[in-house]
Amino acid sequence: MNELFKQQVYEVTKLIPKGRVSTYGAIAKAVGYPNHSRHVGNAMGGCPKDVPAHRVISSSGKLSVPSFRERLEKEDVVVQENWKIKDFKKLFWNPLDEL
């Protein structure tokens, strides 16, 4: 994975509003690499602190990193016991539609 891809992923992720979530796949599509959601996940693993990685979740609406629960809840995102985001479809931020 090259640095340009990572930087593009980080820039799109920074645009996700507080209280909203996006998916690895949606970010991948937004940067021009559909079907590269795993690469987005890998990029998130080492992202800078100013990138809100906690707002990026799986396409099923589940939290991929349990430690992000607290950060999301501080933004009034409800995480259910099964690690799913309550009202996922309502909170979903699609960069292709909203940029």
Side-chain angles (χ1 to χ4, degrees):
M1 168 178 14
N2 68 34
E3 283 303 310
L4 178 60
F5 175 80
K6 283 191 210 179
Q7 289 306 314
Q8 290 172 329
V9 166
Y10 299 155
E11 291 306 313
V12 171
T13 302
K14 287 178 186 178
L15 299 173
I16 303 170
K18 285 184 179 180
R20 303 280 302 276
V21 293
S22 194
T23 64
Y24 298 104
I27 302 292
K29 284 180 190 173
V31 299
Y33 290 92
N35 305 317
H36 282 73
S37 56
R38 287 190 178 176
H39 292 294
V40 173
N42 289 337
M44 289 295 157
C47 70
K49 291 198 182 278
D50 65 331
V51 176
H54 62 285
R55 296 182 191 148
V56 184
I57 62 173
S58 73
S59 61
S60 66
K62 267 192 163 179
L63 209 57
S64 301
V65 182
S67 63
F68 287 163
R69 180 180 191 151
E70 186 178 328
R71 291 176 72 184
L72 284 169
E73 288 176 341
K74 284 182 181 175
E75 296 181 3
D76 297 323
V77 174
V78 177
V79 181
Q80 301 174 117
E81 292 304 315
N82 60 359
W83 299 105
K84 280 199 162 200
I85 302 297
K86 185 176 181 183
D87 298 323
F88 168 61
K89 289 183 180 182
K90 181 179 156 189
L91 298 177
F92 176 65
W93 183 82
N94 186 345
L96 292 178
D97 291 343
E98 302 198 39
L99 289 181

